[in-house]
Amino acid sequence: MFLEQAINGITLGGIYAIVALGYTLVFGVLGIINMAHGEIFMFGAFVGMLLVSKAGVPLPVAFLGAIAAAASMGLLLDRFALRPLRKRPGASHLASLISTIGVSILLENAAHRIFGAGNHLFETPFSDIRFQAGSVTVYLVQAAILGISLLMMAGLSLWLSRTRAGKALRATAENLETAGLLGVDTNRMITATVVIASAMGGVAGVLVGMAFNFINNRIGLSMGLKGLAIIIFGGMGSVYGAMAGGLILGLSETFVVAYGPAGYRDAIAFVTIIVVLLVRPQGLFGQAVSDGKP
Amino acid sequence: MPVEWLNPYHLQVGSFLLINVLLGVSIYITLSTGQLSLGNAGFMCIGAYTAALLSTKCGLPIPAGIALGAVLAGSAGVLVGLPSLRLSGVYLAIATLGFGEVIRAVAVNWETLTGGAVGVAAVPQMGRVLLANLADAGFAPGDAGLRPNQFIALSVFLILLAVTALVIAFFLRLDRTRVGRAYAAIRLDEKAAEAMGIPVTYYKVLAFSQGAMVSGLAGALFAHSTSYISPEDFTYHRAVEILVYAVFGGSGHLLGSVFGAAALTLLPEALRFVSDYRHMLYGLLLVLMMIYRPQGVIDPPLLRRLHRARAEEAP
Amino acid sequence: MKALLSLERVGKSFGGLAALADISFSVEAGEILGIIGPNGAGKTTLFNVITAFFPPTEGTVIFDGRPIGGLPPHAIAHRGISRTFQNIRLFSAMSVEENVMVGRHCRSRAGVWRGVLRTRGQRGEEREIRERTRELLELVGLEGADPGREARALPYGHQRRLEIARSLAAEPRLLLLDEPAAGMNEAETREVFELIRRVRLLGVTILLIEHDMSLVMKACDRLVVFNFGRMIAEGPPAAIRKDPRVIEAYLGPEEGSEDA
């Protein structure tokens, strides 16, 4: 029982981590919270759902479709809601926050118009396949989710630390101006970051569909809120903080549901961040912010 | 001879408009110190439930319940504002968003107290209670030429109008005092404000809890105007809606938020097709405002121009 | 004479890098002390340390006989230290008049209720604030400017003066001026010089960071020279001008040119 719950928690945590990574990448580079990330993720889930359940294509193709859809939405988001603000000097840091909130509301309600408010089944062909190891049951879906999320985290870490593009991205995150002086095309870098983060959101969307077997137009909001909680918990802009934070949240939610007041499951994330903000405002893995000049 | 043109439905729309105006004022106050709160729906929730439960469960008179609701929301504002102040804008926005969600989770889950997802029903409605009290004193609405439902809607509207006018007057005055100048200074340049001897933390918490208190007041009045509340009334979408009032109307001046709240409440009423797409429109509006007019429709230079134009017309 | 401000072995480091080290000097009441040094020598950091924007990591700052370490910036303003900023930091969207009125904050006290109810005391206080604001605008030579105009619409030189008026509104005993003549032509610089003299006549002690050497030499009673976060010399302008260490560090190894 305990072990099964732990596996459930880790699976959920892996998904949370992927969602949180989408936020943390954009925050790391742009210093803004992309409030529309949850809704992009939700659209990824819907595209995946349509491809798997309605068109009957194999799962990997559905992943590619979701990635393509989410990535293009990221591109549009950057082009129409973020870039115009970058051009304007003296735009307050709240402007981009508000602008992405606008996009998120727009997308959520667009999804409501298109797909309705009800739940949509997300059926995978192997949803019933499971393994028995002693008293512990593990579903193939869980193993797949865990495998994919670990793969993505490892891939992202490698990409950031080893490749030229990844290094350029980290330089941009370090200091936008300096990176510009060093010849990094910061505008392209920013767009690339938003697109990559959104693509990861697309993957996360399909994973959520696989994990819960259904999706609706509100999962963007609920998963988005958790992603936000995780990056505050793990430290804004910290890639490893997002991964660890995701796992911790996934586990604690699962155990609270199993052994505690299930109704408060969705509040755990926020109780945690409120506590973290009181005790360690920079987050678990974040560095204390010193703003340099007064 | 009843006054035929007095349409209870219009009065009801007017009442909701006034509550939204109060919410617009509440977000303006917090924004006037440069803090973005996404928790005002949570404070509204506290105010509404406090007032509703005090009158339904404890039988407290309505005005006392409303006052306590506002005070409790304001105190919650201090509790949330104080720790959040160490945080820059983005952290504050998310912490307050989290706060709103926690409050809603409590409202949904603490079933014995809050009635859970179903909410609180049979909250005494201000207009009806007033009518009943007056009837005891021997007054009938017919004496004033009104049908009972007209009287009820009208009295709710007038009570809300008086409260809203008072709140607006309060903060318009505050804007022009030492405290209002300190708020504006903090919004424009926190460090410079501090160098000029303004205790930034104190004023930020003050503004934050004033905003929370007005949200709570709006919530409490809302509960006693509709007679039924549920957690659905205080979701994240409500918080965003409140933010849209200020961003659309203009967060640089109190009247901007008032205008924004009024305009965006009436718009769906005036244009039926708008109401179906209301939330999509809000989303689009936020993006477009940030790109083309981040200060909102009404800003101080515009007000000054209007003022000057009127002054020139006068003689 | 009594020291109004004294620094004792003050140091400030950021993440292990020392921006200021071992700074000790005093400012006598009523004097104008100039702080000079090449760019990046730590002059502005010193202002930030004194006003508690960056609390010192070492040493003590004593103002008027009492240590002010650990006080937040607004409390330091309250004690009587006011400042201007190198890159003017006015409340840009506020009017000229309001900027100065904000400066009066720590010398007035009406709170929310007295303000909203407009009590007699509060109205008197507001009148006093406005009067004082008018006087200060006159003192800095802005009596001709529209007091209702937005501060950001003022010409550059006027913004500098408005910033000085704002900091004087707090009735400081010590005024920290960070490059008040930066970006100004000769005539404007002369006006700044005149203004500094007028301010001193009010009994305000001045700590002045300035790159314009002719202004520094004329205006200051004494100079402190910084280089690489350390003090390298201290003394009257005439002596500093001849100090070989200063000439080497500040004016360059060769005999200095006019606008170092």
Side-chain angles (χ1 to χ4, degrees), chain C residues 57-126:
Chain C
T57 38
E58 274 158 66
T60 35
V61 182
I62 294 168
F63 180 68
D64 197 24
R66 281 190 294 175
I68 55 172
L71 289 182
H74 66 85
I76 284 172
H78 207 91
R79 288 276 176 95
I81 302 181
S82 200
R83 72 176 289 183
T84 66
F85 295 88
Q86 191 177 353
N87 44 347
I88 311 172
R89 290 179 86 154
L90 287 168
F91 304 117
S92 54
M94 277 194 206
S95 71
V96 168
E97 183 184 45
E98 281 168 337
N99 264 279
V100 184
M101 290 169 82
V102 168
R104 209 71 204 129
H105 189 90
C106 60
R107 302 291 168 234
S108 46
R109 47 161 54 96
V112 174
W113 287 106
R114 286 209 276 159
V116 169
L117 299 175
R118 293 200 186 144
T119 60
R120 182 200 288 268
Q122 190 266 350
R123 277 176 293 155
E125 193 177 273
E126 285 288 301

Side-chain angles (χ1 to χ4, degrees), chain A residues 137-209:
Chain A
T137 315
V138 181
Y139 283 85
L140 179 60
V141 176
Q142 289 182 316
I145 289 171
L146 199 58
I148 292 168
S149 39
L150 286 177
L151 212 66
M152 283 195 66
M153 289 188 232
L156 185 70
S157 307
L158 276 178
W159 184 74
L160 282 175
S161 57
R162 297 287 161 80
T163 66
R164 230 182 108 82
K167 283 178 188 164
L169 191 129
R170 281 192 350 211
T172 314
E174 201 80 18
N175 191 324
L176 215 57
E177 265 171 56
T178 320
L181 293 177
L182 291 174
V184 176
D185 181 347
T186 53
N187 235 339
R188 249 187 63 196
M189 218 58 242
I190 291 171
T191 308
T193 311
V194 177
V195 169
I196 291 171
S198 302
M200 294 184 69
V203 175
V206 179
L207 292 179
V208 165

Side-chain angles (χ1 to χ4, degrees), chain C residues 113-257:
Chain C
W113 287 106
R114 286 209 276 159
V116 169
L117 299 175
R118 293 200 186 144
T119 60
R120 182 200 288 268
Q122 190 266 350
R123 277 176 293 155
E125 193 177 273
E126 285 288 301
R127 249 197 320 277
E128 187 268 344
I129 292 173
R130 276 173 202 282
E131 247 160 56
R132 188 85 189 106
T133 297
R134 219 177 4 257
E135 286 165 23
L136 284 168
L137 286 174
E138 203 172 308
L139 177 84
V140 300
L142 286 176
E143 66 274 16
D146 174 5
R149 199 169 170 201
E150 272 188 27
R152 62 177 152 211
L154 285 182
Y156 176 79
H158 286 193
Q159 293 194 14
R160 283 256 177 234
R161 289 196 229 165
L162 178 58
E163 209 191 12
I164 294 175
R166 182 182 70 179
S167 47
L168 285 174
E171 286 175 20
R173 280 189 291 156
L174 176 66
L175 179 62
L176 313 182
L177 294 174
D178 199 344
E179 296 195 32
M184 291 189 172
N185 64 29
E186 223 171 290
E188 288 170 326
T189 304
R190 204 161 35 243
E191 283 171 25
V192 169
F193 171 68
E194 291 302 325
L195 175 56
I196 291 175
R197 298 228 318 206
R198 280 201 297 274
V199 171
R200 169 194 229 167
L201 289 177
L202 297 174
V204 179
T205 309
I206 296 171
L207 205 52
L208 173 70
I209 295 178
E210 186 49 65
H211 275 295
D212 188 309
M213 289 315 281
S214 62
L215 175 66
V216 171
M217 294 292 166
K218 263 195 304 183
C220 299
D221 303 311
R222 274 190 317 134
L223 295 179
V224 170
V225 189
F226 276 44
N227 198 20
F228 295 116
R230 290 173 175 277
M231 262 175 72
I232 57 167
E234 183 183 1
I240 292 292
R241 210 200 295 264
K242 295 191 194 102
D243 192 317
R245 283 169 304 176
V246 177
I247 294 170
E248 171 153 355
Y250 186 64
L251 303 174
E254 285 169 41
E255 193 58 29
S257 57

Side-chain angles (χ1 to χ4, degrees), chain C residues 36-54:
Chain C
I36 59 172
N39 279 326
K43 304 181 300 277
T44 297
T45 308
L46 178 77
F47 274 17
N48 286 332
V49 165
I50 295 172
T51 53
F53 280 137
F54 301 154

Side-chain angles (χ1 to χ4, degrees), chain B residues 160-173:
Chain B
L160 289 175
L161 188 66
V163 175
T164 310
L166 265 176
V167 170
I168 291 177
F170 183 100
F171 287 104
L172 274 180
R173 275 198 165 188

Side-chain angles (χ1 to χ4, degrees), chain B residues 227-241:
Chain B
S227 78
Y228 167 66
I229 55 166
S230 82
E232 280 303 293
D233 295 321
F234 314 103
T235 57
Y236 167 70
H237 295 100
R238 172 77 79 163
V240 171
E241 211 170 279

